[in-house]
Amino acid sequence: MSVAGEVGMGVEDAVMVGDRRYDVEAARTCNVPCVGVELGHTAKSGELECATASVIVSTVDELPDVLLGGAAKN
């Protein structure tokens, strides 16, 4: 069994998490949603928005809610 199968996820559940426009562009090329993370100010202001990240968060602490749809609060 694959790791994805062991955790009850499939390829269709894949999500890219990145902090630069290159990450967003790579995800788009692969038809994968991308969560842009504004960590350490690596991206210029507005870079992730212009690259059209699916969702943008400001901290790692916000990722569980985005990735798990609020299930992390349970």
Side-chain angles (χ1 to χ4, degrees), residues 1-67:
M1 179 180 284
S2 70
V3 173
E6 288 178 25
V7 295
M9 299 174 73
V11 173
E12 66 278 0
D13 298 310
V15 176
M16 166 70 108
V17 177
D19 63 350
R20 294 298 311 267
R21 71 176 173 91
Y22 310 107
D23 302 320
V24 179
E25 292 167 355
R28 188 179 323 112
T29 297
C30 296
N31 292 321
V32 173
C34 184
V35 178
V37 183
E38 300 176 321
L39 296 173
H41 307 288
T42 55
K44 296 177 184 174
S45 180
E47 179 177 321
L48 297 171
E49 291 88 345
C50 288
T52 65
S54 303
V55 177
I56 299 172
V57 297
S58 298
T59 68
V60 171
D61 292 338
E62 295 174 69
L63 284 173
D65 285 341
V66 171
L67 296 175

